[in-house]
Amino acid sequence: MLFSCKTPAEDLLNLTEVSLKPQSSISSTVVVNKWSDAVVHHFSLDLRKKSVNVILPDVEAVARLQNLPQNWTIEHDEALVRLMSKYLSPENEQLGSIKNYVDSIDVSSFTDENGPGCLTDGDPDTWWESDGSQGQHWIRLKMKKGTIIKKLQIGLDSSDDNYLPSKISVQGGDADSQKTLNSMTIDWDSQDVGPLTVLENMTEHYAIIIIKIKDCKSGGIDTRIRDLKIVSTEERTSGFDRDFFKGENLCRYPILETYKAEELYYRSQMLQRFLEIVDSVLQYLVPAWEYSIGSYSSLEFVRQLLPLSKKRLCLIDTFLKESSSDRPSDMPKLYINRRAAMEHKCDPTSDPEYKNSIFTQIYDGLKPKDRTSVPLNYRWSYRYDQWWECKFVSEGVIDQGGGFRDSLSDLAEELCPSSSDGLVPTPFFIRSPNQFCEDSNINRDVYVPNPSCKEFAKYEWIGQIMGACLRGRENLIMALPSFVWKKLVGERVTWVKDYSTVDAASVKVIDNLETMEASSEFVTMNYQWTCTLSDGSIVYIRVDGEGNGVPLKFEDREKYCLEVRKIRMMEFEEQINAIRTGLLKVVPQAVLDLLTWQELEQRISGNPDISIEALRRTTHYEDVEEKDTRVKYMWEALKNFSNEDRSRFLRFITGRRRLPASVYVSTARGDAVDCLPESSTCANMLYLPNYSSAKIAEEKIRYATYNCMDIDTDINVLEEY
């Protein structure tokens, strides 16, 4: 019960101690022999009187967990969590009986009352029902690592009639590519309706299984599936032993490489225990009944550790579901002139108000038409795979989803162009200073909000579209630095670590100025009390009587550096706040509190999809032939790389995380064999050594791509390891 401070005294409950007679048949002593129970016993409030026998702990084991490795910081914990979270499956309470084999279930579409949870709730009277285009229905299973399927069944019921699937294809593979494992056509006139085996006797593990329903009985449009059942001969859990913290796993996290495997192992055990405690109270830290308000601020200090949480994703799904609304029954229709938009993109000066841009055409097209029209709230469920219909002027396109997705891609391309040398057709984002810094190899493809642009209503709308993407299946590829993503999600930002993703050169200059010791060196630099923002505008911090910047004195340099940091860290604050306001109109505050900035970026902009084929198309060769052995080994290595690895590889060479970006491959300097590759981000050049095997090539290239990101010189070189 809850009482306020205004509750009359006579209405308050009086607690009276009641003595219970002990039952002789039941022991009144509670034995505490688990660490989690010991935490509850020592730190929680328990008004009951009881006898507790706490088993003494293993003192040596406790000491190992309490021991902090030398020079360990919160950044080491965050790196360790990122490493572990890639191999630790989140707990999904909606998976029912198949949770031992499946990490997650996704479906093509569903009706309000018949979502994917009905596939695993164990209730034969519920079902998943699709709500999409005929022949476009599917169920995607993300399998636990190591699970090999011996039988996969779908539950069907004769009462579903035209909803019964009649043609099914099952595919398996990874996120990038799948192959057909089974195809079947069912003649329901000659076959009884019941559990249908769609896959059996597999001999290898497939990370992704997709059940595609191509046709339904008698030409039915949508399908119904009652349940899923899986039989597996192999089930593995994602535990971490000491060997896990060795070798290849660590090369992606250089900050951890100097520590022994045993130290990392015990620290990982401590972190998992800590997150288990956080999980036990998470529903109180982020109360489901107040998800619009958000969490207590204390959660901020452990945000980067939350990927280890097993309860968090379920809470996020709950918040998004409970705050969702139906899309308008009358889908908005937009008329878009892409030819006019292209002409504007080629010469933005001819249309200074950017009326012909894709941005303005979509923005104006979605605005309420009159006072009686209800503005769109963009809080649509992810089952809606199309938010508006596009009619492209002078183009013979019938929009069944493809035109809508094209319009989102065109919108993103106008906001943050993928080309490194093209014009930016809208005023909302500008190229970050890092794009113009040739001696930097980090974040050379990012954009920042334009501090001179004051169209906050449109920034807010951009935030709403980003929120709709977070809720749905679509992506709006926004090439923003971590500094901006952190501000949007509500994480703390720092000058050296975060603002360097915007303007690394300025960070270096200001830090060097602050620590400068020789006044003679300072005099030659002619500093004034001014600073230049990312858009080139000048801020006068101190001025003379004529409004000019006051010369900076050597003894005032620390105060000057402090002021510059403050100004630069806040230069896009108004624009970011407007985007965040729009984002929070669509996504509850509690969802942002539970996401890391990396997850926010991924949910909105997606993973950088860098296929081998696309990478080959942008690769050129200088002083080396494509059929050269070293080049063949390089491509064999890249085939084994994940998307993240390939993104790092691209960034190592070009400073960009996404395609398009030209890559040039040349021979390494000297005749060394099996050494680390070098790169020149200024020339987009990879200097590739000779390798004695594809395995060694993979090892060396991966190590270089993860360990050369913070070097200030244009040529990225590492000492041999």
Side-chain angles (χ1 to χ4, degrees):
M1 277 184 193
L2 298 176
F3 295 95
S4 75
C5 59
K6 299 179 181 179
T7 303
E10 60 270 18
D11 292 338
L12 293 173
L13 292 177
N14 292 320
L15 298 178
T16 304
E17 183 177 349
V18 178
S19 57
L20 298 176
K21 294 181 180 180
Q23 300 180 24
S24 58
S25 59
I26 302 177
S27 172
S28 59
T29 300
V30 177
V31 178
V32 174
N33 56 7
K34 295 182 179 179
W35 73 266
S36 53
D37 293 337
V39 170
V40 172
H41 170 68
H42 286 293
F43 299 104
S44 65
L45 177 64
D46 192 343
L47 297 178
R48 297 172 298 172
K49 288 186 176 181
K50 56 185 178 181
S51 175
V52 179
N53 178 23
V54 181
I55 303 300
L56 293 176
D58 183 329
V59 178
E60 291 184 4
V62 171
R64 285 194 294 266
L65 291 178
Q66 290 179 333
N67 181 49
L68 193 67
Q70 189 174 8
N71 299 322
W72 192 270
T73 66
I74 186 64
E75 291 184 356
H76 292 84
D77 277 334
E78 292 171 359
L80 190 57
V81 166
R82 287 196 297 273
L83 167 61
M84 296 163 62
S85 62
K86 290 182 178 296
Y87 299 90
L88 193 64
S89 301
E91 186 172 300
N92 192 332
E93 296 175 352
Q94 298 180 343
L95 292 177
S97 60
I98 66 172
K99 66 181 180 181
N100 292 331
Y101 314 112
V102 176
D103 279 338
S104 63
I105 295 180
D106 197 11
V107 294
S108 53
S109 59
F110 59 90
T111 59
D112 287 336
E113 302 299 325
N114 308 102
C118 297
L119 291 167
T120 56
D121 61 4
D123 187 348
D125 295 325
T126 63
W127 57 83
W128 162 64
E129 183 176 324
S130 65
D131 185 23
S133 303
Q134 187 176 20
Q136 302 296 316
H137 314 309
W138 47 260
I139 302 170
R140 181 186 289 115
L141 307 178
K142 183 179 178 183
M143 308 301 296
K144 284 188 180 295
K145 187 177 181 181
T147 300
I148 299 176
I149 294 177
K150 287 303 171 186
K151 183 176 287 188
L152 171 59
Q153 288 184 331
I154 59 175
L156 306 172
D157 191 279
S158 57
S159 63
D160 293 334
D161 198 28
N162 289 357
Y163 289 92
L164 293 171
S166 61
K167 188 175 182 180
I168 297 174
S169 173
V170 183
Q171 296 181 331
D174 55 27
D176 295 327
S177 62
Q178 297 89 36
K179 64 179 181 180
T180 300
L181 304 177
N182 187 32
S183 296
M184 56 195 309
T185 301
I186 305 103
D187 181 3
W188 291 116
D189 293 329
S190 60
Q191 183 166 329
D192 295 333
V193 179
L196 180 67
T197 300
V198 296
L199 197 64
E200 59 184 336
N201 297 326
M202 294 294 100
T203 58
E204 61 180 293
H205 165 74
Y206 296 98
I208 303 291
I209 296 290
I210 304 176
I211 305 171
K212 293 187 175 182
I213 292 86
K214 300 286 192 179
D215 285 315
C216 293
K217 181 181 177 182
S218 303
I221 296 176
D222 285 298
T223 191
R224 287 178 182 173
I225 307 294
R226 299 274 172 162
D227 62 26
L228 290 172
K229 292 181 179 178
I230 295 177
V231 177
S232 173
T233 59
E234 190 170 347
E235 175 195 337
R236 297 176 185 171
T237 58
S238 298
F240 302 105
D241 56 18
R242 289 168 178 78
D243 290 338
F244 175 81
F245 300 100
K246 295 179 181 178
E248 182 182 316
N249 289 336
L250 293 187
C251 81
R252 296 178 173 89
Y253 304 91
I255 193 174
L256 302 177
E257 284 195 306
T258 58
Y259 293 93
K260 297 178 181 177
E262 187 167 314
E263 291 177 305
L264 298 177
Y265 168 74
Y266 286 121
R267 190 64 182 173
S268 74
Q269 294 297 306
M270 191 284 298
L271 287 171
Q272 289 181 85
R273 290 191 175 194
F274 173 70
L275 264 296
E276 189 173 325
I277 295 172
V278 172
D279 274 346
S280 69
V281 295
L282 195 57
Q283 68 269 32
Y284 307 112
L285 294 175
V286 192
W289 59 89
E290 289 289 0
Y291 54 75
S292 61
I293 295 177
S295 70
Y296 297 106
S297 58
S298 59
L299 200 59
E300 166 59 25
F301 297 99
V302 297
R303 189 195 295 258
Q304 284 290 330
L305 307 183
L306 290 179
L308 286 185
S309 168
K310 295 183 178 180
K311 303 293 185 183
R312 180 183 60 121
L313 295 183
C314 238
L315 268 179
I316 290 174
D317 289 343
T318 299
F319 297 154
L320 291 176
K321 183 176 181 180
E322 292 185 359
S323 61
S324 66
S325 61
D326 289 333
R327 186 192 62 191
S329 55
D330 186 15
M331 186 187 299
K333 290 183 175 61
L334 305 182
Y335 293 86
I336 297 178
N337 188 331
R338 291 202 281 196
R339 177 172 295 179
M342 180 57 67
E343 291 174 356
H344 162 72
K345 185 176 181 180
C346 294
D347 183 16
T349 58
S350 64
D351 180 20
E353 296 183 354
Y354 55 96
K355 292 180 180 179
N356 290 326
S357 66
I358 297 291
F359 178 94
T360 299
Q361 294 183 61
I362 296 177
Y363 179 78
D364 288 344
L366 294 177
K367 285 196 300 189
K369 304 304 179 187
D370 50 53
R371 292 183 178 180
T372 61
S373 300
V374 179
L376 300 175
N377 63 26
Y378 301 94
R379 293 197 301 268
W380 308 309
S381 167
Y382 83 99
R383 67 189 179 89
Y384 295 116
D385 55 5
Q386 186 172 357
W387 308 336
W388 56 76
E389 182 181 344
C390 287
K391 301 285 187 182
F392 294 110
V393 177
S394 301
E395 296 184 50
V397 176
I398 299 175
D399 186 9
Q400 294 183 336
F404 157 69
R405 287 188 290 274
D406 278 351
S407 68
L408 270 184
S409 297
D410 292 340
L411 175 63
E413 184 63 23
E414 283 191 345
L415 294 174
C416 301
S418 56
S419 171
S420 60
D421 53 5
L423 299 172
V424 182
T426 57
F428 307 105
F429 296 89
I430 57 175
R431 299 184 187 278
S432 76
N434 277 346
Q435 288 209 31
F436 306 102
C437 186
E438 293 187 347
D439 62 352
S440 172
N441 71 328
I442 57 171
N443 296 99
R444 289 190 60 193
D445 59 348
V446 297
Y447 292 76
V448 292
N450 185 354
S452 299
C453 182
K454 305 299 181 182
E455 299 192 61
F456 299 120
K458 293 181 178 179
Y459 276 114
E460 194 171 305
W461 180 75
I462 292 171
Q464 288 181 287
I465 294 295
M466 292 169 73
C469 289
L470 188 152
R471 281 183 168 276
R473 303 174 186 276
E474 304 306 323
N475 294 136
L476 186 73
I477 299 177
M478 303 290 288
L480 307 175
S482 62
F483 178 83
V484 175
W485 288 113
K486 283 188 173 184
K487 288 244 179 186
L488 288 174
V489 84
E491 287 193 41
R492 291 168 296 168
V493 292
T494 62
W495 170 254
V496 174
K497 182 179 178 182
D498 298 311
Y499 197 79
S500 60
T501 64
V502 174
D503 190 350
S506 291
V507 170
K508 187 176 180 181
V509 167
I510 293 300
D511 289 354
N512 287 343
L513 174 61
E514 185 177 45
T515 57
M516 189 178 294
E517 296 180 357
S519 59
S520 57
E521 181 184 352
F522 172 82
V523 170
T524 62
M525 295 183 177
N526 296 320
Y527 281 105
Q528 291 185 330
W529 278 89
T530 62
C531 76
T532 304
L533 301 183
S534 296
D535 63 349
S537 59
I538 298 176
V539 175
Y540 292 89
I541 304 172
R542 293 184 185 178
V543 294
D544 57 20
E546 298 179 356
N548 298 316
V550 174
L552 178 64
K553 297 179 181 179
F554 179 75
E555 57 269 21
D556 292 334
R557 71 190 188 287
E558 292 185 5
K559 292 180 181 178
Y560 169 78
C561 292
L562 185 65
E563 287 295 322
V564 169
R565 290 190 187 107
K566 189 183 301 182
I567 292 169
R568 296 301 302 274
M569 293 273 281
M570 298 291 290
E571 64 176 313
F572 339 105
E573 196 70 9
E574 291 179 308
Q575 292 76 16
I576 291 176
N577 284 341
I579 297 173
R580 182 175 163 84
T581 298
L583 189 58
L584 287 173
K585 284 185 175 181
V586 181
V587 177
Q589 174 72 58
V591 171
L592 294 189
D593 290 340
L594 291 170
L595 290 173
T596 65
W597 73 264
Q598 297 97 327
E599 292 168 327
L600 180 69
E601 179 184 21
Q602 182 177 332
R603 285 181 177 237
I604 292 173
S605 295
N607 285 319
D609 186 11
I610 302 175
S611 67
I612 292 293
E613 293 72 22
L615 199 53
R616 280 186 184 274
R617 286 195 295 270
T618 63
T619 301
H620 312 276
Y621 304 95
E622 293 190 3
D623 301 325
V624 65
E625 297 290 333
E626 186 174 2
K627 59 185 179 181
D628 190 287
T629 302
R630 76 187 81 188
V631 174
K632 291 181 180 179
Y633 285 161
M634 179 191 74
W635 288 115
E636 286 185 41
L638 290 173
K639 285 180 181 178
N640 295 328
F641 276 24
S642 65
N643 255 330
E644 182 184 355
D645 292 340
R646 291 174 196 158
S647 177
R648 289 273 189 161
F649 173 77
L650 192 66
R651 179 178 162 187
F652 170 64
I653 302 169
T654 68
R656 301 171 66 83
R657 296 172 298 162
R658 289 183 170 91
L659 293 172
S662 295
V663 173
Y664 296 88
V665 179
S666 183
T667 57
R669 303 164 190 182
D671 299 322
V673 178
D674 293 341
C675 61
L676 292 168
E678 301 174 6
S679 70
S680 169
T681 55
C682 181
N684 289 3
M685 183 72 72
L686 174 68
Y687 298 101
L688 194 63
N690 280 305
Y691 292 110
S692 54
S693 70
K695 183 178 180 181
I696 293 177
E698 179 181 345
E699 210 175 273
K700 298 289 186 178
I701 295 172
R702 180 183 280 115
Y703 187 89
T705 60
Y706 277 89
N707 289 269
C708 290
M709 293 299 105
D710 299 321
I711 294 178
D712 293 326
T713 56
D714 180 50
I715 301 294
N716 297 325
V717 187
L718 276 177
E719 296 295 330
E720 280 301 299
Y721 70 104

